[in-house]
Amino acid sequence: MSDHLDVDARWLEVALEQARTGADEGGVPIGAALVADGQLLGAGRNRRVQHASPIHHGETDALAAAGRQPASVYARATMYTTLSPCAMCSGAMLLYGIRRVVVGENRTFVGEEELLRSRGVEVVVLDDPECRKLMDTFAARHPQLWHEDIGEV
């Protein structure tokens, strides 16, 4: 495994920890971590169920946990997320100029990866088996909640 993949695996594990915590809380098991210059700025998880909120996705929660950052920090940052980012989360990353996104898996759900790429964002998909297992298990056990989360009927 290359050094870059080792670093990505390390930070994806932080996002996975968040996803596991979210599952333990009865929420959707999606986690995220925002990292710049080798430092964790903020980690978060999907808290739509826990907060009865339509906007508390993993990536937006990680951005909130990171607090206000200068544009120069966002430009050097990588967002690690256990699942392909939806339109809302992709839009937030574009708004703040995040230039790199590492996705744990995109078999369960393919978000706005092409939009991100079209705007110059590097999108790396790791196809992580644990990320897939978390989402597959959740979707099978809670199909209505899963479809609500991704905006499907």
Side-chain angles (χ1 to χ4, degrees):
M1 189 180 274
S2 75
D3 288 343
H4 204 56
L5 287 177
D6 288 342
V7 170
D8 287 346
R10 172 187 173 205
W11 293 116
L12 181 64
E13 182 57 36
V14 173
L16 266 165
E17 289 171 15
Q18 289 290 315
R20 289 184 207 107
T21 299
D24 290 345
E25 295 171 343
V28 182
I30 302 169
L34 184 64
V35 176
D37 305 320
Q39 299 294 316
L40 178 66
L41 301 177
R45 60 190 169 275
N46 185 306
R47 296 184 201 219
R48 291 184 65 254
V49 173
Q50 299 91 314
H51 291 222
S53 167
I55 61 170
H56 278 90
H57 283 200
E59 298 90 339
T60 56
D61 198 42
L63 282 165
R68 292 175 56 199
Q69 299 293 327
S72 60
V73 172
Y74 290 123
R76 296 190 310 271
T78 297
M79 178 68 77
Y80 293 87
T81 179
T82 59
L83 185 65
S84 184
C86 72
M88 178 177 65
C89 295
S90 295
M93 288 183 269
L94 291 172
L95 177 66
Y96 292 107
I98 295 168
R99 308 304 302 156
R100 186 167 187 266
V101 179
V102 175
V103 176
E105 71 103 347
N106 66 357
R107 293 188 196 192
T108 307
F109 173 78
V110 178
E112 297 298 327
E113 294 173 22
E114 289 309 313
L115 171 64
L116 291 167
R117 287 183 182 105
S118 77
R119 299 283 296 272
V121 176
E122 177 187 1
V123 178
V124 177
V125 179
L126 298 180
D127 198 25
D128 182 82
E130 187 172 353
C131 291
R132 278 196 320 274
K133 182 179 176 187
L134 272 172
M135 290 313 306
D136 287 344
T137 300
F138 176 80
R141 289 183 181 161
H142 307 284
Q144 184 175 4
L145 185 55
W146 170 236
H147 289 289
E148 175 189 319
D149 193 67
I150 59 174
E152 291 183 356
V153 178

